[in-house]
Amino acid sequence: MASSPAGRIPLLAAQRGVWIGQQLAPDSPAYNTAEYTEIRGPADVDTLVASIHLAVSETEAIGVLFADDDDGPSQHPGRAPAWTVHVADLTGRADPLAAALAWMTDDLARPVDLTAGPVFGHAVFRLAADRVLWYHRAHHIALDGYSFGLFARRVAEVYSARASAHELPPCWFGSLRAVAEADTAYRDSGQYHRDRDHWLAYSAGRPAPVTLAGRFGPLSGTVLRCEASLDQPVKDALASAARAAKAVWSDALTAAFAAYVHRMTGARQVNLALPVMSRMGSVALRVPCMMLNIVPLWVDADPVASLVELTGRTATEIRIGRPHHRYRYEHLRRDLKLAPSDRNLFGPLANIMPFDYGLTFASLPAVVRNASAGPVEDMCLNIYDRADGSGLHVTLDANPACYTSGELAVHLRRFLGFLAGLAAHPAQPIGAAALLPGENSTSYGAVLG
């Protein structure tokens, strides 16, 4: 394996698709991803800002600039220009939260020049004496969702130490170059070829994926979003159904989404896109960077099957594919000879995160909210576990080339009702669960936002 010149790190396999997508639409902000953390209590803004600065200096993947030369695109750590945390006291505003969210929306709408940087941004807003928001944006070529969690935990750790006048704990991030070397070694390994063979066999003879829009459209620079809350009793019922299937509640939720797609389209074989972190057993577990992959999940949605039965089937499919998660979906598309104008590789995406960061800032609790998950080809169901007993946060993102805001809102309302019905009667056939808004409305357990 040839070594790279000092300071130059080739793009990871997961970064290449993002690089190409951004080059095709250099003025598009679609790859901006972000989240914000609400710290509940009298957080010290200066300490928080200092903690953010330190964590940024420790994170190679965001202190980079990108370049394209004779050896291909690459990243160069330590070259990011000077930057500052945007700080604003909004306590005098009529609606401080709305003002902060409006600022975030404007920030997310700005495209990023990967060759000029920086590829990230931070802001801290004081909404009240006991309420502070920390906003973190990063281009998807630099960080994935798992990395946001690593970074947030480091900021909280540093803040807690400084606020308590304790010695700063050493940074536990690994090396970006080590991830790049492991990435190259994987592509030269026998495991890469075994993974390729698995996904080719898994994809053989499958029908074209279905979509709830009835059509596919070009990738847009913007994303439509609807949000809702799902009550804890529904999550508990899903967990109970999952235990009966020897699975976990996220498997039950994935199965329910597949059942919804089946009921709405009539497709017996339902294809979902499943985001995976592609890090298990690798040095990347401790490195904030872009490693996200998407794998196909095919579910046999038999209308006479119950939620428990469908959950068991779904869990089995996920388990079988897990050892092969590192094989890139871009490579699978190439292997299947699917041109960009051909049918999509996936149907709707199910992004279920059965964990919460559990952040505390010197004993002050914090809640994390996603502000942008990046571009969406069709539709993406995002489920976030609040981990505080208050239920789940649900967002439904969609490509505006495929859906209208009204259609998206109807899908979210209908799916949450369908989900609550399945969870309440996990032994009944999925073909018998109510679909239309208003049917069995007392069992929905959802508060639409």
Side-chain angles (χ1 to χ4, degrees):
M1 179 174 60
S3 61
S4 300
R8 180 188 189 278
I9 299 178
L11 295 192
L12 306 176
Q15 294 178 300
R16 291 182 177 273
V18 180
W19 169 265
I20 293 170
Q22 189 67 81
Q23 300 313 300
L24 292 173
D27 295 327
S28 172
Y31 289 101
N32 283 339
T33 60
E35 64 184 26
Y36 62 92
T37 300
E38 177 185 346
I39 305 173
R40 297 171 174 175
D44 184 83
V45 168
D46 291 340
T47 301
L48 179 58
V49 169
S51 301
I52 294 167
H53 272 281
L54 178 60
V56 167
S57 72
E58 297 170 333
T59 307
E60 290 180 283
I62 56 176
V64 299
L65 289 182
F66 292 82
D68 198 3
D69 53 33
D70 292 341
D71 294 322
S74 57
Q75 52 199 319
H76 301 261
R79 292 192 181 180
W83 63 280
T84 59
V85 177
H86 175 77
V87 178
D89 187 335
L90 303 179
T91 55
R93 298 291 186 92
D95 190 338
L97 177 59
L101 293 176
W103 189 96
M104 296 177 201
T105 298
D106 290 343
D107 183 68
L108 282 167
R110 298 186 185 100
V112 173
D113 184 345
L114 297 179
T115 64
V119 299
F120 65 93
H122 291 272
V124 174
F125 303 96
R126 181 170 292 284
L127 306 187
D130 60 352
R131 193 179 183 199
V132 168
L133 293 190
W134 160 39
Y135 165 80
H136 177 197
R137 168 185 48 80
H139 195 284
H140 218 350
I141 200 170
L143 299 181
D144 55 19
Y146 178 83
S147 300
F148 270 85
L150 292 179
F151 186 89
R153 283 194 289 273
R154 179 57 179 166
V155 171
E157 180 181 58
V158 172
Y159 178 96
S160 297
R162 284 182 160 160
S164 305
H166 292 160
E167 183 178 352
L168 289 182
C171 183
W172 33 268
F173 293 163
S175 161
L176 180 62
R177 186 174 296 278
V179 176
E181 291 171 350
D183 198 52
T184 300
Y186 167 71
R187 293 198 299 273
D188 293 335
S189 71
Q191 185 61 46
Y192 176 88
H193 297 285
R194 288 189 291 273
D195 293 344
R196 174 181 181 271
D197 291 344
H198 168 82
W199 292 117
L200 283 176
Y202 187 68
S203 303
R206 300 289 190 180
V210 296
T211 166
L212 293 169
R215 65 190 185 279
F216 291 106
L219 195 64
S220 174
T222 59
V223 173
L224 300 176
R225 170 168 285 191
C226 285
E227 301 185 60
S229 297
L230 193 64
D231 289 347
Q232 186 69 24
V234 178
K235 179 192 170 185
D236 292 342
L238 288 170
S240 178
R243 285 192 295 271
K246 295 181 172 57
V248 295
W249 70 262
S250 57
D251 296 329
L253 229 167
T254 304
F257 190 45
Y260 178 74
V261 175
H262 157 70
R263 289 290 304 278
M264 292 299 298
T265 65
R268 172 70 178 260
Q269 287 194 58
V270 172
N271 174 276
L272 298 180
L274 198 67
V276 295
M277 66 179 188
S278 304
R279 282 174 156 89
M280 297 308 296
S282 75
V283 294
L285 273 173
R286 295 187 299 109
V287 183
C289 61
M290 174 55 175
M291 289 289 288
L292 177 75
N293 192 19
I294 301 173
V295 299
L297 174 67
W298 286 94
V299 179
D300 181 10
D302 185 346
V304 302
S306 67
L307 176 62
V308 171
E309 292 167 334
L310 196 63
T311 297
R313 295 176 190 175
T314 301
T316 297
E317 294 293 325
I318 294 173
R319 183 171 60 252
I320 290 171
R322 190 167 289 126
H324 310 285
H325 279 178
R326 292 186 69 181
Y327 193 78
R328 298 294 308 168
Y329 75 91
E330 300 97 337
H331 297 175
L332 180 59
R333 170 175 278 279
R334 176 202 63 199
D335 297 337
L336 295 174
K337 298 180 173 57
L338 296 177
S341 59
D342 290 337
R343 70 172 175 85
N344 278 25
L345 183 60
F346 306 111
L349 189 145
N351 186 24
I352 299 171
M353 287 145 283
F355 55 85
D356 183 84
Y357 295 171
L359 298 180
T360 58
F361 291 76
S363 79
L364 300 178
V367 176
V368 180
R369 291 285 179 266
N370 177 269
S372 173
V376 177
E377 288 189 353
D378 175 58
M379 175 187 285
C380 177
L381 173 70
N382 300 293
I383 306 284
Y384 304 92
D385 186 1
R386 289 174 169 158
D388 61 0
S390 64
L392 305 171
H393 187 68
V394 183
T395 68
L396 199 59
D397 292 348
N399 184 348
C402 303
Y403 300 87
T404 67
S405 295
E407 289 170 339
L408 193 64
V410 169
H411 276 301
L412 180 58
R413 185 180 305 112
R414 182 177 285 154
F415 171 66
L416 291 178
F418 178 72
L419 174 65
L422 287 181
H425 306 284
Q428 76 170 356
I430 61 172
L435 261 180
L436 298 178
E439 293 183 9
N440 296 340
S441 59
T442 57
S443 67
Y444 282 14
V447 178
L448 299 182

